[in-house]
Amino acid sequence: DAGVTQSPTHLIKTRGQQVTLRCSPKSGHDTVSWYQQALGQGPQFIFQYYEEEERQRGNFPDRFSGHQFPNYSSELNVNALLLGDSALYLCASSLAVGTGGSEQYFGPGTRLTVT
Amino acid sequence: AQSVAQPEDQVNVAEGNPLTVKCTYSVSGNPYLFWYVQYPNRGLQFLLKYITGDNLVKGSYGFEAEFNKSQTSFHLKKPSALVSDSALYFCAVRDSSNYQLIWGAGTKLIIKP
């Protein structure tokens, strides 16, 4: 049973560029959440997707956008990259049980460096 | 507003001794509480959760946590620490009417032989 997978593992971009990160959820899961984790900090919630719709969004600017596909996989897009966007980006999948009682399973993350 | 506090940046414990990693939270509604562990260069792994019911929750690798509503705490515990328990531990909380998971800053647990 494959767990959550993310690609790429590492990415180096220049300020002002755009980036797309990809995530495949754990088999059987239908909900995908994205997080940003800066060095030495806890993850920060970016948004969650369910049934191909953004269900909730954290305190991130519109430069951060996403998409969920019919097979439940997801993409995170970041436009006009800033140096401060350098972080580990984590994808987590879960089952849409009620409003949040199910635990999330995390991928290994994508390390984004903006120069 | 929801928040989570992990008051200790680092906890040092001798192997074989009991360990406690502290977590307090603030939510407006009923809390859903979680503990995760992060090993170096690896993703976050789920340990245990409290949704409702018994205040003492048992999880993976011999860990347990006690939900205390009056103190708004959810401390992680283990009766006998192993060197392999050394890692970064995160507490997270979600309001029952909300999808957003709020995370603490993490506590580095160091188990010395």
Side-chain angles (χ1 to χ4, degrees), chain B residues 27-44:
Chain B
V27 297
S28 55
N30 293 320
Y32 291 164
L33 294 151
F34 302 82
W35 275 102
Y36 285 81
V37 59
Q38 189 171 37
Y39 296 99
N41 300 317
R42 291 173 65 178
L44 287 155

PDB file of all heavy atoms in Angstrom, chain B residues 27-44:
ATOM      1  N   VAL B  27      -8.772  26.478  21.729  1.00  0.00           N
ATOM      2  CA  VAL B  27      -9.722  26.445  20.612  1.00  0.00           C
ATOM      3  C   VAL B  27     -11.064  26.963  21.107  1.00  0.00           C
ATOM      4  O   VAL B  27     -11.339  26.946  22.297  1.00  0.00           O
ATOM      5  CB  VAL B  27      -9.901  25.028  20.023  1.00  0.00           C
ATOM      6  CG1 VAL B  27      -8.616  24.508  19.434  1.00  0.00           C
ATOM      7  CG2 VAL B  27     -10.445  24.066  21.063  1.00  0.00           C
ATOM      8  N   SER B  28     -11.892  27.383  20.195  1.00  0.00           N
ATOM      9  CA  SER B  28     -13.183  27.930  20.591  1.00  0.00           C
ATOM     10  C   SER B  28     -14.231  26.848  20.780  1.00  0.00           C
ATOM     11  O   SER B  28     -15.168  27.014  21.553  1.00  0.00           O
ATOM     12  CB  SER B  28     -13.661  28.943  19.548  1.00  0.00           C
ATOM     13  OG  SER B  28     -13.674  28.350  18.267  1.00  0.00           O
ATOM     14  N   GLY B  29     -14.075  25.728  20.103  1.00  0.00           N
ATOM     15  CA  GLY B  29     -15.048  24.641  20.199  1.00  0.00           C
ATOM     16  C   GLY B  29     -14.426  23.404  20.798  1.00  0.00           C
ATOM     17  O   GLY B  29     -13.486  23.479  21.581  1.00  0.00           O
ATOM     18  N   ASN B  30     -14.956  22.251  20.441  1.00  0.00           N
ATOM     19  CA  ASN B  30     -14.385  20.997  20.914  1.00  0.00           C
ATOM     20  C   ASN B  30     -13.077  20.700  20.193  1.00  0.00           C
ATOM     21  O   ASN B  30     -13.013  20.793  18.971  1.00  0.00           O
ATOM     22  CB  ASN B  30     -15.371  19.849  20.683  1.00  0.00           C
ATOM     23  CG  ASN B  30     -16.606  19.988  21.540  1.00  0.00           C
ATOM     24  OD1 ASN B  30     -16.527  20.377  22.698  1.00  0.00           O
ATOM     25  ND2 ASN B  30     -17.760  19.682  20.970  1.00  0.00           N
ATOM     26  N   PRO B  31     -12.046  20.320  20.935  1.00  0.00           N
ATOM     27  CA  PRO B  31     -10.741  20.108  20.295  1.00  0.00           C
ATOM     28  C   PRO B  31     -10.555  18.693  19.768  1.00  0.00           C
ATOM     29  O   PRO B  31     -10.984  17.724  20.395  1.00  0.00           O
ATOM     30  CB  PRO B  31      -9.770  20.375  21.435  1.00  0.00           C
ATOM     31  CG  PRO B  31     -10.506  19.896  22.650  1.00  0.00           C
ATOM     32  CD  PRO B  31     -11.965  20.216  22.395  1.00  0.00           C
ATOM     33  N   TYR B  32      -9.921  18.618  18.603  1.00  0.00           N
ATOM     34  CA  TYR B  32      -9.358  17.370  18.114  1.00  0.00           C
ATOM     35  C   TYR B  32      -7.840  17.533  18.253  1.00  0.00           C
ATOM     36  O   TYR B  32      -7.278  18.469  17.695  1.00  0.00           O
ATOM     37  CB  TYR B  32      -9.717  17.126  16.649  1.00  0.00           C
ATOM     38  CG  TYR B  32     -11.169  16.824  16.379  1.00  0.00           C
ATOM     39  CD1 TYR B  32     -11.676  16.904  15.091  1.00  0.00           C
ATOM     40  CD2 TYR B  32     -12.044  16.458  17.388  1.00  0.00           C
ATOM     41  CE1 TYR B  32     -12.998  16.619  14.808  1.00  0.00           C
ATOM     42  CE2 TYR B  32     -13.367  16.170  17.125  1.00  0.00           C
ATOM     43  CZ  TYR B  32     -13.841  16.260  15.827  1.00  0.00           C
ATOM     44  OH  TYR B  32     -15.157  15.975  15.566  1.00  0.00           O
ATOM     45  N   LEU B  33      -7.202  16.634  18.995  1.00  0.00           N
ATOM     46  CA  LEU B  33      -5.794  16.794  19.341  1.00  0.00           C
ATOM     47  C   LEU B  33      -4.958  15.658  18.762  1.00  0.00           C
ATOM     48  O   LEU B  33      -5.390  14.504  18.761  1.00  0.00           O
ATOM     49  CB  LEU B  33      -5.635  16.843  20.857  1.00  0.00           C
ATOM     50  CG  LEU B  33      -6.266  18.073  21.509  1.00  0.00           C
ATOM     51  CD1 LEU B  33      -6.714  17.778  22.925  1.00  0.00           C
ATOM     52  CD2 LEU B  33      -5.268  19.229  21.481  1.00  0.00           C
ATOM     53  N   PHE B  34      -3.760  15.988  18.302  1.00  0.00           N
ATOM     54  CA  PHE B  34      -2.904  15.027  17.640  1.00  0.00           C
ATOM     55  C   PHE B  34      -1.455  15.194  18.100  1.00  0.00           C
ATOM     56  O   PHE B  34      -1.014  16.306  18.412  1.00  0.00           O
ATOM     57  CB  PHE B  34      -2.937  15.232  16.111  1.00  0.00           C
ATOM     58  CG  PHE B  34      -4.303  15.138  15.495  1.00  0.00           C
ATOM     59  CD1 PHE B  34      -5.157  16.227  15.510  1.00  0.00           C
ATOM     60  CD2 PHE B  34      -4.742  13.966  14.899  1.00  0.00           C
ATOM     61  CE1 PHE B  34      -6.431  16.163  14.955  1.00  0.00           C
ATOM     62  CE2 PHE B  34      -6.008  13.882  14.334  1.00  0.00           C
ATOM     63  CZ  PHE B  34      -6.851  14.986  14.361  1.00  0.00           C
ATOM     64  N   TRP B  35      -0.724  14.084  18.098  1.00  0.00           N
ATOM     65  CA  TRP B  35       0.730  14.099  18.247  1.00  0.00           C
ATOM     66  C   TRP B  35       1.357  13.430  17.030  1.00  0.00           C
ATOM     67  O   TRP B  35       0.909  12.361  16.585  1.00  0.00           O
ATOM     68  CB  TRP B  35       1.175  13.364  19.508  1.00  0.00           C
ATOM     69  CG  TRP B  35       1.154  14.200  20.744  1.00  0.00           C
ATOM     70  CD1 TRP B  35       0.223  14.194  21.732  1.00  0.00           C
ATOM     71  CD2 TRP B  35       2.131  15.171  21.149  1.00  0.00           C
ATOM     72  NE1 TRP B  35       0.543  15.100  22.715  1.00  0.00           N
ATOM     73  CE2 TRP B  35       1.709  15.703  22.386  1.00  0.00           C
ATOM     74  CE3 TRP B  35       3.324  15.631  20.589  1.00  0.00           C
ATOM     75  CZ2 TRP B  35       2.438  16.685  23.070  1.00  0.00           C
ATOM     76  CZ3 TRP B  35       4.043  16.600  21.258  1.00  0.00           C
ATOM     77  CH2 TRP B  35       3.613  17.121  22.483  1.00  0.00           C
ATOM     78  N   TYR B  36       2.414  14.090  16.527  1.00  0.00           N
ATOM     79  CA  TYR B  36       3.188  13.575  15.415  1.00  0.00           C
ATOM     80  C   TYR B  36       4.663  13.587  15.792  1.00  0.00           C
ATOM     81  O   TYR B  36       5.102  14.394  16.624  1.00  0.00           O
ATOM     82  CB  TYR B  36       3.006  14.429  14.156  1.00  0.00           C
ATOM     83  CG  TYR B  36       1.686  14.225  13.452  1.00  0.00           C
ATOM     84  CD1 TYR B  36       0.530  14.872  13.897  1.00  0.00           C
ATOM     85  CD2 TYR B  36       1.595  13.404  12.332  1.00  0.00           C
ATOM     86  CE1 TYR B  36      -0.672  14.685  13.241  1.00  0.00           C
ATOM     87  CE2 TYR B  36       0.387  13.220  11.669  1.00  0.00           C
ATOM     88  CZ  TYR B  36      -0.738  13.860  12.132  1.00  0.00           C
ATOM     89  OH  TYR B  36      -1.931  13.675  11.486  1.00  0.00           O
ATOM     90  N   VAL B  37       5.442  12.716  15.144  1.00  0.00           N
ATOM     91  CA  VAL B  37       6.885  12.673  15.350  1.00  0.00           C
ATOM     92  C   VAL B  37       7.568  12.862  13.997  1.00  0.00           C
ATOM     93  O   VAL B  37       7.075  12.393  12.966  1.00  0.00           O
ATOM     94  CB  VAL B  37       7.329  11.353  16.014  1.00  0.00           C
ATOM     95  CG1 VAL B  37       6.940  10.142  15.191  1.00  0.00           C
ATOM     96  CG2 VAL B  37       8.837  11.356  16.275  1.00  0.00           C
ATOM     97  N   GLN B  38       8.679  13.598  14.029  1.00  0.00           N
ATOM     98  CA  GLN B  38       9.442  13.839  12.793  1.00  0.00           C
ATOM     99  C   GLN B  38      10.893  13.441  13.020  1.00  0.00           C
ATOM    100  O   GLN B  38      11.591  14.039  13.844  1.00  0.00           O
ATOM    101  CB  GLN B  38       9.349  15.307  12.386  1.00  0.00           C
ATOM    102  CG  GLN B  38       9.913  15.603  11.013  1.00  0.00           C
ATOM    103  CD  GLN B  38       9.607  17.029  10.572  1.00  0.00           C
ATOM    104  OE1 GLN B  38       9.604  17.966  11.358  1.00  0.00           O
ATOM    105  NE2 GLN B  38       9.323  17.214   9.281  1.00  0.00           N
ATOM    106  N   TYR B  39      11.335  12.419  12.286  1.00  0.00           N
ATOM    107  CA  TYR B  39      12.719  12.007  12.338  1.00  0.00           C
ATOM    108  C   TYR B  39      13.500  12.781  11.279  1.00  0.00           C
ATOM    109  O   TYR B  39      12.919  13.217  10.284  1.00  0.00           O
ATOM    110  CB  TYR B  39      12.836  10.502  12.108  1.00  0.00           C
ATOM    111  CG  TYR B  39      12.163   9.681  13.184  1.00  0.00           C
ATOM    112  CD1 TYR B  39      10.899   9.141  12.999  1.00  0.00           C
ATOM    113  CD2 TYR B  39      12.798   9.455  14.401  1.00  0.00           C
ATOM    114  CE1 TYR B  39      10.272   8.413  13.983  1.00  0.00           C
ATOM    115  CE2 TYR B  39      12.183   8.710  15.396  1.00  0.00           C
ATOM    116  CZ  TYR B  39      10.920   8.197  15.188  1.00  0.00           C
ATOM    117  OH  TYR B  39      10.299   7.471  16.168  1.00  0.00           O
ATOM    118  N   PRO B  40      14.807  12.942  11.461  1.00  0.00           N
ATOM    119  CA  PRO B  40      15.621  13.693  10.491  1.00  0.00           C
ATOM    120  C   PRO B  40      15.451  13.163   9.072  1.00  0.00           C
ATOM    121  O   PRO B  40      15.481  11.955   8.844  1.00  0.00           O
ATOM    122  CB  PRO B  40      17.051  13.478  11.000  1.00  0.00           C
ATOM    123  CG  PRO B  40      16.888  13.236  12.460  1.00  0.00           C
ATOM    124  CD  PRO B  40      15.603  12.466  12.596  1.00  0.00           C
ATOM    125  N   ASN B  41      15.206  14.093   8.158  1.00  0.00           N
ATOM    126  CA  ASN B  41      15.085  13.764   6.730  1.00  0.00           C
ATOM    127  C   ASN B  41      13.941  12.788   6.440  1.00  0.00           C
ATOM    128  O   ASN B  41      13.969  12.081   5.434  1.00  0.00           O
ATOM    129  CB  ASN B  41      16.400  13.185   6.193  1.00  0.00           C
ATOM    130  CG  ASN B  41      17.544  14.170   6.357  1.00  0.00           C
ATOM    131  OD1 ASN B  41      17.390  15.368   6.096  1.00  0.00           O
ATOM    132  ND2 ASN B  41      18.677  13.683   6.831  1.00  0.00           N
ATOM    133  N   ARG B  42      12.954  12.797   7.325  1.00  0.00           N
ATOM    134  CA  ARG B  42      11.776  11.971   7.086  1.00  0.00           C
ATOM    135  C   ARG B  42      10.527  12.781   7.349  1.00  0.00           C
ATOM    136  O   ARG B  42      10.553  13.817   8.015  1.00  0.00           O
ATOM    137  CB  ARG B  42      11.808  10.735   7.981  1.00  0.00           C
ATOM    138  CG  ARG B  42      12.899   9.756   7.612  1.00  0.00           C
ATOM    139  CD  ARG B  42      13.022   8.623   8.608  1.00  0.00           C
ATOM    140  NE  ARG B  42      11.836   7.777   8.627  1.00  0.00           N
ATOM    141  CZ  ARG B  42      11.745   6.700   9.408  1.00  0.00           C
ATOM    142  NH1 ARG B  42      12.733   6.365  10.200  1.00  0.00           N
ATOM    143  NH2 ARG B  42      10.641   5.974   9.385  1.00  0.00           N
ATOM    144  N   GLY B  43       9.428  12.326   6.819  1.00  0.00           N
ATOM    145  CA  GLY B  43       8.168  13.054   6.987  1.00  0.00           C
ATOM    146  C   GLY B  43       7.600  12.900   8.380  1.00  0.00           C
ATOM    147  O   GLY B  43       8.125  12.176   9.226  1.00  0.00           O
ATOM    148  N   LEU B  44       6.519  13.585   8.621  1.00  0.00           N
ATOM    149  CA  LEU B  44       5.815  13.515   9.898  1.00  0.00           C
ATOM    150  C   LEU B  44       5.051  12.204   9.999  1.00  0.00           C
ATOM    151  O   LEU B  44       4.370  11.799   9.060  1.00  0.00           O
ATOM    152  CB  LEU B  44       4.843  14.684  10.016  1.00  0.00           C
ATOM    153  CG  LEU B  44       5.491  16.041  10.254  1.00  0.00           C
ATOM    154  CD1 LEU B  44       4.595  17.154   9.752  1.00  0.00           C
ATOM    155  CD2 LEU B  44       5.770  16.214  11.740  1.00  0.00           C
TER     156      LEU B  44
END
